[in-house]
Amino acid sequence: MAEPVDVVGLHGGQWFGRDAEAALRGADVLIGHARQLAALPPDLPGEPVELWGDLDEVLGFAAKRRDDGERACILAAGDPGFFGLVRLAAIWLGEAGLRVHPAPSSIALAFARIGCNWDDAVIASAHGRPLEHAVAAVLAHPKVAVLVSKDQPPQMLGQALLDAGCGDRVVDLCSQLGEAEETVTRLDLAGLAAGGFDPLSVVLLRVPDAVGQDAGMGLAWGGPDADFAHRAGMITKAEVRAVALGKLALPPVGVLWDVGAGSGSVAIEASRMAPGLRVFAIEARADDAARLRDNARGTRVAIVEARAPEALADLPDPDRVFVGGGGLEVLDAVLARLRPDGVVVATYATVATAVAAADRLGDLVQLQVSRGRPIGPDDALRLEAENPVFVCWGPGAS
């Protein structure tokens, strides 16, 4: 029975583990590109064959040498089972026809170089895949690594993210990882789009709020009203806000409008919950807009100081809308622009307006919150009722 074909992962000519060394020293033929072959020790006995680019050709050549009774070894970069040639090799040779000896993946090396964990990162590849998939991953997640390619180099990714309206990202461009020419460069999206980088790179992109944190932890909403500066209680109260955000069913990517944003509490919490959303907070009152700017400092919320519905004309069509201020005219304008499968959530203080809104949206609940307040010398609690709030939503939420 023919020996399996060995696939050995390398970084700068360095293999990892005794089995990888045994595969290299026992091979009759070593198949790789010129840089890999040149980095290997000169005392390896196998015949060096420079053959790279077309993986079908590489695997066909390895299979033929194996069938001729020789031990074939293919040189790979990093972990060949991680977006590497193992997927195709298993089709060519069968899983039993392979022995894989991985090195650390380029992703592991990239995150190691910046001193960052990557157990909560999303990985995307631009090798033979649409760039739009990588862009969607970056828009949707706070920590993403993208494997770029010669056909879709780093600058193309940067420009595509800018064109998609991506918010601020801390960018680390990691090139030639594990090689003598290795570089790690800290950039922003504009710097990434400027170009001039090695196409064989890993691009790490992190939301600034996620830098130094576990980006997979800490999801919360309905925070205390005191976290937001507001005008005399004119804020979507924490409990109502929590219900409204739940009914919005925020998608990982898309556009959210917060119309009549006031303090901006809904927009701000939505932007934290779904970093891939483009969030617009629309507020007409100058004093409220000023407080909104202070509240939103450090977030990715775009503030539009203008009156709805006129203010909506120049905004991108929304996937989600929260209407916290304005009458039925604003709601009708919102519905006219809502994307397919979009969701609108609106809150009202009066029954008549809420019922009319529910006729348009489909669903209605009344929220009545009573807060515990201390009373008497022993600080016993009594319940103090807030004014009821009507929450309407539809058409896509359940």
Side-chain angles (χ1 to χ4, degrees), residues 254-344:
V255 173
L256 167 71
W257 294 351
D258 180 357
V259 185
S263 68
S265 60
V266 172
I268 291 165
E269 289 200 337
S271 73
R272 292 170 180 163
M273 292 171 66
L277 279 177
R278 298 176 65 192
V279 179
F280 297 86
I282 299 96
E283 176 53 52
R285 281 184 60 125
D287 56 341
D288 283 341
R291 278 184 285 267
L292 171 53
R293 288 190 181 89
D294 287 339
N295 290 335
R297 186 171 290 117
T299 73
R300 294 162 300 283
V301 176
I303 298 164
V304 180
E305 185 179 344
R307 183 173 300 279
E310 295 80 10
L312 309 178
D314 294 329
L315 299 182
D317 290 344
D319 301 276
R320 298 292 188 271
V321 183
F322 175 69
V323 180
L328 296 174
E329 178 189 11
V330 170
L331 179 59
D332 289 337
V334 163
L335 288 171
R337 296 280 305 280
L338 189 67
R339 287 178 176 167
D341 300 321
V343 178
V344 178

Side-chain angles (χ1 to χ4, degrees), residues 16-353:
F16 292 79
R18 291 188 296 271
D19 290 343
E21 181 174 5
L24 290 167
R25 295 197 178 279
D28 298 304
V29 57
L30 298 165
I31 308 163
H33 58 62
R35 187 177 62 189
Q36 290 174 318
L37 293 168
L40 289 176
D43 62 342
L44 294 181
E47 174 195 356
V49 175
E50 182 183 341
L51 184 65
W52 208 254
D54 185 334
L55 292 183
D56 286 314
E57 185 179 359
V58 171
L59 293 166
F61 181 83
K64 181 179 185 307
R65 297 296 288 261
R66 177 203 60 185
D67 294 342
D68 289 342
E70 296 182 287
R71 296 185 64 175
C73 181
I74 301 174
L75 309 180
D79 183 351
F82 187 72
F83 291 103
L85 62 80
V86 168
R87 180 179 283 105
L88 183 59
I91 296 172
W92 259 90
L93 306 170
E95 292 182 357
L98 288 174
R99 277 193 300 244
V100 181
H101 311 279
S105 71
S106 58
I107 302 297
L109 288 180
F111 278 107
R113 295 300 187 260
I114 65 169
C116 179
N117 68 297
W118 63 287
D119 51 345
D120 57 346
V122 172
I123 314 302
S125 175
H127 286 265
R129 294 170 170 83
L131 189 61
E132 290 80 6
H133 293 178
V135 170
V138 176
L139 292 173
H141 300 282
K143 184 187 290 186
V144 180
V146 180
L147 294 155
V148 290
S149 66
K150 290 181 179 179
D151 293 333
Q152 299 185 116
Q155 60 266 29
M156 187 178 292
L157 172 65
Q159 189 60 56
L161 288 168
L162 291 176
D163 292 344
C166 184
D168 291 342
R169 293 295 188 272
V170 176
V171 181
D172 290 288
L173 182 74
C174 307
S175 304
Q176 301 291 337
L177 287 162
E179 306 290 334
E181 300 83 8
E182 177 183 299
T183 60
V184 178
T185 306
R186 176 66 56 89
L187 302 160
D188 57 14
L189 287 177
L192 183 65
F197 304 114
D198 192 319
L200 299 179
S201 300
V202 176
V203 184
L204 307 181
L205 303 108
R206 294 175 291 162
V207 170
D209 294 348
V211 174
Q213 302 178 13
D214 184 344
M217 302 295 290
L219 180 64
W221 63 97
D225 297 345
D227 288 352
F228 305 92
H230 52 87
R231 171 173 50 91
M234 297 298 292
I235 182 174
T236 302
K237 299 296 193 296
E239 293 78 12
V240 176
R241 191 183 331 126
V243 171
L245 286 165
K247 296 301 183 185
L248 280 168
L250 298 174
V253 297
V255 173
L256 167 71
W257 294 351
D258 180 357
V259 185
S263 68
S265 60
V266 172
I268 291 165
E269 289 200 337
S271 73
R272 292 170 180 163
M273 292 171 66
L277 279 177
R278 298 176 65 192
V279 179
F280 297 86
I282 299 96
E283 176 53 52
R285 281 184 60 125
D287 56 341
D288 283 341
R291 278 184 285 267
L292 171 53
R293 288 190 181 89
D294 287 339
N295 290 335
R297 186 171 290 117
T299 73
R300 294 162 300 283
V301 176
I303 298 164
V304 180
E305 185 179 344
R307 183 173 300 279
E310 295 80 10
L312 309 178
D314 294 329
L315 299 182
D317 290 344
D319 301 276
R320 298 292 188 271
V321 183
F322 175 69
V323 180
L328 296 174
E329 178 189 11
V330 170
L331 179 59
D332 289 337
V334 163
L335 288 171
R337 296 280 305 280
L338 189 67
R339 287 178 176 167
D341 300 321
V343 178
V344 178
V345 175
T347 57
Y348 299 98
T350 65
V351 176
T353 308

